[in-house]
Amino acid sequence: MKTLQDVDKTRVPRHVAIIMDGNGRWAKAKLQRRIYGHQHAMQAVHEATEAAAELGCEYLTVYAFSTENWNRPQEEVEGLMELLIKAVIEETPTMMKNNVRLETIGDTSRIPKRSLDYLNRAIEETSKNTGLCMILALSYSSRWEIAEALKGIIADAQKGLITPDQVTEETIRPYLATRNYPDPDLLIRTGGELRTSNFLQWQMAYTEFYFSDMLWPDFRKPDFYEAICEYQRRQRRFGKTGDQVEAENQQS
């Protein structure tokens, strides 16, 4: 079991993303409804956020609700929207205490007004905090994001603001929902599934993946530290050779 002292704080990932999987299976194993698992997932979110803040990570993006999740049973969706309100109310004082800034990406126009009002209130209240930026991916999917980016590029092209030969990886970035954030260095996915589920697919071209069989409601700080330690054991090459990276590290 890893502790805070096991992590090299000079090599902490700047941006960690999390796919919080396994709530439903956790509840089913306890002979409970799926919403029971979502309710008990809040402690895992709390601990991951505190761990990221303690380590000095700058950004933490959690996949809270995908565009595909709207297709789940209405009772579960409504329960999740109410849980969003509860989580925002309960966690805002902790975010203020820990200097955490809350932001969101996704098609929030689909979020019920009552839930959205509470969310926007928390975003405003924490907006002046200068520590960890916690990003809720809410009603989000990569395909939605890329489609929206294309709409923006086409609209600007029709206005004469951009031409086809000017479209590059860098000119696409300002049209993405994540334009204000660096790409994730590390993705953590719990629940034993080995896929990215339509999450930050443009941004994760060179992200390190860490998969865990643990179901999300059981996730705690030592599990976050373990993922960070595994990340630190890897060599990130970004298309270069290992020898090139080693030489650059020695020069720096």
Side-chain angles (χ1 to χ4, degrees):
M1 183 176 292
K2 299 296 184 183
T3 67
L4 183 64
Q5 287 68 39
D6 293 313
V7 180
D8 180 355
K9 289 192 176 181
T10 67
R11 297 172 50 239
V12 171
R14 186 181 182 197
H15 185 175
V16 178
I18 304 180
I19 298 177
M20 309 177 292
D21 194 18
N23 295 345
R25 283 172 285 159
W26 187 88
K28 185 176 180 181
K30 298 181 181 302
L31 305 179
Q32 298 287 339
R33 295 182 303 157
R34 291 177 57 85
I35 196 65
Y36 182 79
H38 297 310
Q39 290 167 344
H40 283 77
M42 294 302 103
Q43 182 60 31
V45 175
H46 177 88
E47 298 218 6
T49 304
E50 279 201 341
E54 289 166 358
L55 287 173
C57 298
E58 296 180 40
Y59 301 89
L60 177 68
T61 301
V62 294
Y63 205 6
F65 193 87
S66 74
T67 54
E68 290 83 5
N69 288 155
W70 291 111
N71 297 321
R72 290 188 174 185
Q74 184 176 355
E75 180 185 13
E76 182 175 350
V77 171
E78 290 175 353
L80 284 167
M81 292 301 108
E82 287 301 310
L83 271 178
L84 173 62
I85 294 173
K86 183 174 185 291
V88 165
I89 292 173
E90 293 181 354
E91 290 299 318
T92 296
T94 302
M95 287 189 286
M96 294 301 296
K97 176 184 176 183
N98 293 325
N99 197 29
V100 174
R101 183 172 75 258
L102 179 66
E103 297 187 5
T104 186
I105 56 173
D107 184 9
T108 53
S109 66
R110 301 183 66 179
I111 304 297
K113 184 179 183 304
R114 181 166 175 265
S115 299
L116 190 59
D117 285 346
Y118 276 97
L119 178 62
N120 287 334
R121 198 175 304 162
I123 290 172
E124 175 61 27
E125 188 171 344
T126 63
S127 63
K128 300 297 190 297
N129 291 345
T130 58
L132 174 72
C133 178
M134 182 181 182
I135 306 155
L136 287 181
L138 198 59
S139 189
Y140 169 90
S141 75
S142 287
R143 291 182 176 181
W144 164 84
E145 179 183 28
I146 292 169
E148 290 299 304
L150 286 172
K151 290 178 187 177
I153 292 170
I154 291 169
D156 281 350
Q158 290 174 336
K159 297 174 186 175
L161 300 176
I162 190 170
T163 60
D165 61 305
Q166 291 175 319
V167 177
T168 66
E169 292 180 23
E170 289 308 310
T171 56
I172 289 172
R173 176 176 288 276
Y175 294 92
L176 297 173
T178 56
R179 56 188 167 273
N180 296 323
Y181 316 119
D183 293 341
D185 300 295
L186 172 66
L187 169 73
I188 300 171
R189 177 167 188 154
T190 60
E193 303 292 355
L194 306 179
R195 57 176 178 266
T196 58
S197 297
N198 208 358
F199 182 48
L200 299 178
Q201 291 179 350
W202 174 277
Q203 296 83 354
M204 292 199 298
Y206 281 100
T207 297
E208 297 294 327
F209 290 1
Y210 177 85
F211 296 107
S212 170
D213 290 333
M214 176 175 294
L215 302 180
W216 178 249
D218 292 324
F219 193 87
R220 294 295 181 267
K221 285 186 181 182
D223 307 302
F224 191 89
Y225 301 144
E226 176 61 47
I228 302 299
C229 287
E230 172 59 29
Y231 166 85
Q232 293 181 340
R233 287 191 285 268
R234 301 180 188 178
Q235 183 188 66
R236 305 190 72 198
R237 295 190 291 274
F238 298 98
K240 299 179 181 179
T241 67
D243 289 341
Q244 283 178 299
V245 174
E246 285 295 333
E248 290 173 357
N249 289 339
Q250 289 174 5
Q251 291 174 1
S252 61

